[in-house]
Amino acid sequence: WGVTSIMAVWLCVFVLLSVVVSSAHADYNQCLIDILQLKAGQYPAFDPSLGYIMGNATATSGKPLGDFDACVGLPSSVAEYVGIDVQTSGQSFPIGACLPSSCDVASLTTLAPMFVQTFKLPNDTALSFTIAQDIEWDAGGITMLVICGLFISAVVIASAASCWPVRDVKVKSDLNEPLLEGESSSTTSHTRNSQPSISSKLIDAFALSKNVSKLSFSPPSGSFRHLQSLNFLRVISMFWIILGHTHSFLSSRMENLKDLVEATKTAPFQLVTSAFFAVDIFFWLSGFLVSYLVLLELQKKGSIPIGKYYIHRYWRLTPVYAFTLFMLWKVSVHMGNGPGFNQFQSFQETSCGSYWWTNLLYINNFYAVDNFNGECMGWGWYLGNDMMFYVVTPLYLIAYHKHKITGLVLIAVSFIASLAVSSVLIVDNGFTASIVNPGSQYFNMYYEKPYCRCIPYLLGMLCAMALIQFKGKLNLKPWVRYFGYLCSIATLLATIFGTYRIYHDGTSAWSVADNTVYLVWSKVGFCMALSFVFYCCMAGYATRFNNFCSLGIWSPLAKLTFGAYLLHPLIMEVYMFNLRVLIHYDGVTIVWLYIGFVVMAYLSSLFMFLFIESPLVGVEKLWSGSAVKSTEIRVVKIDPVQARLFNKSMAERITIIF
């Protein structure tokens, strides 16, 4: 019986496999038959102009994406639009085909060799297929729309309430104040401490007028006025990042990719290929500002509230970060239906559906990383690094505060360790300084790892320590400053344009040593030059340059930088995957696209700042205790006759309505 049972089980398995294989084979056969009929002109529902497969089958012909709108306009029971991503000879480009609806992804994958021959592609070409189809709104997408509606409603209601003339503030009054006894009719002023109610604070947090006022062009007053020049640095770095992403994102939707490759060989284009330095500037800024503020707090109080330190950072970044992530995952996938949009939808569902939580824990640069191919919101790698740097910063600063040499030694050890680890990774994996062809696993193993990107942050910390230690005490002579300016400018130009040869002559133009020295030490030189120039600005030197960097125009733009960083890749992806035709690369087209992306990024950031980011900062102040605790009320010219109307019991606690 045992043998019989085993044979019966295997027979059932064989029958099931036969059914499955036969079904798949039948689907494959039907797809193949329909395609062959299509090519032979026997499929009456199709027009040869609708799909790329029916036109000239070469990678450079006039309409590689076909006619998407005409194809999807056919009955779904007859036709479907298929996007095909071609990977060949180290390059990737999209093509499209209007194919019979009997073809699914599995059938098309089986027929891939036929497509390779039809398109006259190299035999080692890899093809991936996506079928255009509408996706339904799910609970997550509807929830995001509801959340958007709630934030907008809260801002509208709070803005209306802030304009309402009646607002109450509870005021403590002294029982023996002569003002209430009517002893004098002369003009008298008194200051009373008042405590705004929770509702008043919430209204102020969400009121549009209050949040718009935060985008003032006026420079900050008080002890931080000398840091105003850093706003320029934040804005220009954001512009630089958008410039780099304009080229890198859109390169996958360009019909003349070879022209873009040729453009990288020119000297001016090194400003684009060196855009990664803009990220180093943000790391430097983060290290400087965090260290500067914490060190001032340590000088003033001797300690920092460590719990509040971490909670503040998480609250400051995460709600806006999470909002953008879920908008990308659940809402942006409904913002179009172009030839490549189904590929965009599929990627977001696969990556964010599996790994969204790694972003909110800021471990996305270590978890499920595949050169950005598997990451949800791939540009969030920067925030993962920045949060990790922020977490360990108190260890360095507290050590420095207690014993300066100890703190500096810790920074030096971390600095040297980063140089060593980076050098080993570059040499062992053969990474190159060409961002176009850096080597396999470059982004995964090197580019987005904190131990390879911490040097700018450490140099920012050192700059903050120097500013606190020497500002007003160290007098830099003019010849020292001018010599430092010349060295800094030369270093910045050398790091930005120093890769010209490797792009012009190819990666073989540089040896392993050349690539290692540049990749490791270019960050050091760039950020040291940056530190000297802006140290001089903040210390009161370089007056003309400092005045320009401190112009009021940079202040509101700097406040919108975080939102612009989060939103600009989303805007680019929605645009490029909705394109009906591929982009023809040329200078004028790219400039206009770049300007459009900058404007859209900052307008979107403005909306997010006014309706989400700034209100949530106001909410934090409610529970953190940093909100305004008292209001100064000045009462002027009280008539003694009116004062007598207040009896003694009323005078114990008065509510002033204003």
Side-chain angles (χ1 to χ4, degrees):
W1 284 103
V3 175
T4 304
S5 300
I6 293 173
M7 291 181 65
V9 170
W10 276 107
L11 181 61
C12 292
V13 171
F14 178 77
V15 171
L16 289 173
L17 288 175
S18 299
V19 171
V20 171
V21 171
S22 298
S23 175
H25 189 65
D27 292 341
Y28 155 74
N29 283 338
Q30 187 60 50
C31 176
L32 178 58
I33 291 170
D34 290 344
I35 290 178
L36 292 175
Q37 289 178 343
L38 175 67
K39 291 180 67 177
Q42 299 174 9
Y43 221 86
F46 293 93
D47 185 320
S49 66
L50 298 185
Y52 178 71
I53 193 172
M54 294 163 252
N56 297 323
T58 64
T60 58
S61 62
K63 201 173 184 182
L65 296 181
D67 194 331
F68 173 82
D69 294 305
C71 185
V72 298
L74 295 171
S76 59
S77 59
V78 175
E80 62 190 9
Y81 183 85
V82 179
I84 307 173
D85 185 57
V86 181
Q87 299 278 347
T88 181
S89 303
Q91 296 183 359
S92 173
F93 57 89
I95 54 179
C98 193
L99 297 177
S101 57
S102 57
C103 299
D104 57 15
V105 173
S107 300
L108 293 172
T109 303
T110 305
L111 294 172
M114 185 191 75
F115 285 96
V116 170
Q117 292 180 357
T118 302
F119 297 144
K120 299 179 182 179
L121 297 169
N123 292 331
D124 61 347
T125 300
L127 303 179
S128 59
F129 302 87
T130 54
I131 298 176
Q133 55 186 348
D134 294 330
I135 61 173
E136 301 293 332
W137 284 89
D138 60 6
I142 295 172
T143 300
M144 285 305 300
L145 294 181
V146 171
I147 290 174
C148 290
L150 290 175
F151 271 106
I152 293 173
S153 300
V155 170
V156 171
I157 293 171
S159 300
S162 67
C163 297
W164 196 257
V166 178
R167 296 276 301 279
D168 65 311
V169 178
K170 295 180 180 179
V171 181
K172 294 181 180 179
S173 174
D174 188 349
L175 187 65
N176 298 316
E177 283 190 45
L179 177 66
L180 297 177
E181 299 297 331
E183 294 178 352
S184 174
S185 60
S186 61
T187 300
T188 310
S189 70
H190 291 264
T191 300
R192 304 177 183 180
N193 290 327
S194 65
Q195 182 65 42
S197 64
I198 296 296
S199 61
S200 297
K201 295 178 183 178
L202 279 174
I203 289 173
D204 287 343
F206 282 87
L208 199 60
S209 58
K210 297 286 185 180
N211 293 322
V212 169
S213 66
K214 296 178 183 179
L215 298 174
S216 170
F217 287 79
S218 303
S221 58
S223 57
F224 298 115
R225 187 182 181 90
H226 61 288
L227 305 181
Q228 182 76 357
S229 60
L230 298 182
N231 287 332
F232 166 78
L233 197 56
R234 292 173 66 185
V235 175
I236 203 67
S237 300
M238 191 67 253
F239 287 175
W240 200 1
I241 287 174
I242 296 177
L243 177 65
H245 282 169
T246 298
H247 288 79
S248 62
F249 275 62
L250 297 185
S251 62
S252 65
R253 312 302 288 183
M254 290 182 180
E255 64 178 5
N256 56 333
L257 191 57
K258 290 183 178 179
D259 291 342
L260 175 60
V261 174
E262 288 299 315
T264 64
K265 299 178 181 180
T266 62
F269 202 87
Q270 306 313 303
L271 285 170
V272 178
T273 56
S274 299
F276 56 85
F277 282 122
V279 182
D280 291 325
I281 293 175
F282 275 116
F283 283 136
W284 182 91
L285 281 168
S286 183
F288 174 86
L289 291 171
V290 172
S291 301
Y292 189 81
L293 296 175
V294 170
L295 286 174
L296 289 182
E297 184 79 3
L298 288 171
Q299 284 185 351
K300 182 179 179 181
K301 299 180 179 179
S303 64
I304 58 171
I306 200 69
K308 185 177 178 181
Y309 170 87
Y310 290 120
I311 293 173
H312 165 74
R313 186 66 163 190
Y314 193 83
W315 179 262
R316 178 68 183 85
L317 299 182
T318 308
V320 179
Y321 186 20
F323 177 83
T324 307
L325 187 152
F326 284 103
M327 286 293 290
L328 172 69
W329 176 19
K330 295 297 184 180
V331 178
S332 69
V333 294
H334 299 280
M335 293 181 177
N337 65 343
F341 209 75
N342 194 250
Q343 179 185 359
F344 170 70
Q345 294 168 328
S346 177
F347 178 80
Q348 302 310 329
E349 184 58 36
T350 301
S351 59
C352 292
S354 301
Y355 304 119
W356 61 269
W357 56 275
T358 65
N359 294 72
L360 302 188
L361 293 178
Y362 297 93
I363 60 173
N364 49 307
N365 51 337
F366 277 99
Y367 198 93
V369 175
D370 182 21
N371 283 346
F372 301 130
N373 292 328
E375 288 185 63
C376 174
M377 197 172 168
W379 56 98
W381 71 269
Y382 163 80
L383 294 176
N385 281 276
D386 190 65
M387 181 62 80
M388 292 176 185
F389 298 154
Y390 187 86
V391 168
V392 300
T393 296
L395 301 177
Y396 296 89
L397 298 182
I398 292 173
Y400 176 82
H401 175 69
K402 292 183 177 181
H403 192 266
K404 287 183 171 56
I405 298 299
T406 303
L408 292 175
V409 168
L410 286 176
I411 292 176
V413 170
S414 301
F415 191 95
I416 294 170
S418 178
L419 292 176
V421 172
S422 299
S423 300
V424 170
L425 288 173
I426 294 167
V427 173
D428 285 352
N429 294 279
F431 296 146
T432 74
S434 170
I435 201 69
V436 175
N437 187 23
S440 176
Q441 298 300 309
Y442 168 82
F443 294 100
N444 179 15
M445 298 181 65
Y446 174 78
Y447 186 82
E448 58 181 41
K449 290 297 183 285
Y451 42 77
C452 297
R453 301 307 297 260
C454 64
I455 287 177
Y457 192 93
L458 295 172
L459 290 173
M461 294 175 64
L462 290 174
C463 186
M465 294 171 182
L467 186 64
I468 292 175
Q469 183 71 23
F470 299 116
K471 185 176 183 295
K473 302 176 184 178
L474 181 64
N475 183 24
L476 293 177
K477 295 182 179 180
W479 73 267
V480 174
R481 298 199 307 271
Y482 290 123
F483 180 74
Y485 297 151
L486 289 174
C487 290
S488 297
I489 293 172
T491 302
L492 292 173
L493 292 175
T495 52
I496 292 172
F497 295 97
T499 53
Y500 169 75
R501 186 182 169 203
I502 198 172
Y503 288 104
H504 187 270
D505 300 334
T507 54
S508 60
W510 276 17
S511 65
V512 174
D514 295 332
N515 285 294
T516 304
V517 169
Y518 180 83
L519 287 173
V520 173
W521 289 98
S522 62
K523 296 181 179 63
V524 178
F526 185 91
C527 292
M528 287 184 68
L530 199 71
S531 297
F532 181 83
V533 171
F534 280 88
Y535 171 87
C536 290
C537 288
M538 292 179 286
Y541 304 113
T543 307
R544 292 181 180 177
F545 181 69
N546 184 47
N547 289 340
F548 172 76
C549 295
S550 302
L551 290 174
I553 183 63
W554 307 121
S555 181
L557 291 175
K559 289 186 173 76
L560 300 177
T561 296
F562 181 48
Y565 178 80
L566 292 175
L567 292 170
H568 81 272
L570 188 156
I571 294 169
M572 291 180 181
E573 289 186 339
V574 170
Y575 166 77
M576 71 186 206
F577 286 113
N578 268 300
L579 289 173
R580 266 48 178 178
V581 295
L582 296 181
I583 300 170
H584 185 85
Y585 176 80
D586 63 75
V588 175
T589 300
I590 290 297
V591 166
W592 281 111
L593 285 173
Y594 168 66
I595 293 173
F597 288 143
V598 170
V599 172
M600 287 299 299
Y602 274 89
L603 287 178
S604 302
S605 180
L606 175 63
F607 180 86
M608 190 161 69
F609 179 86
L610 295 176
F611 287 85
I612 299 174
E613 185 178 354
S614 186
L616 290 178
V617 171
V619 170
E620 181 199 7
K621 292 179 180 179
L622 296 181
W623 53 262
S624 68
S626 59
V628 179
K629 294 183 178 179
S630 64
T631 303
E632 184 180 87
I633 299 177
R634 196 167 293 276
V635 184
V636 182
K637 200 170 185 177
I638 301 297
D639 188 350
V641 177
Q642 293 178 341
R644 293 191 191 99
L645 297 177
F646 292 91
N647 58 35
K648 201 166 187 178
S649 61
M650 293 269 306
E652 292 180 357
R653 192 167 182 85
I654 299 175
T655 299
I656 296 181
I657 308 297
F658 68 95

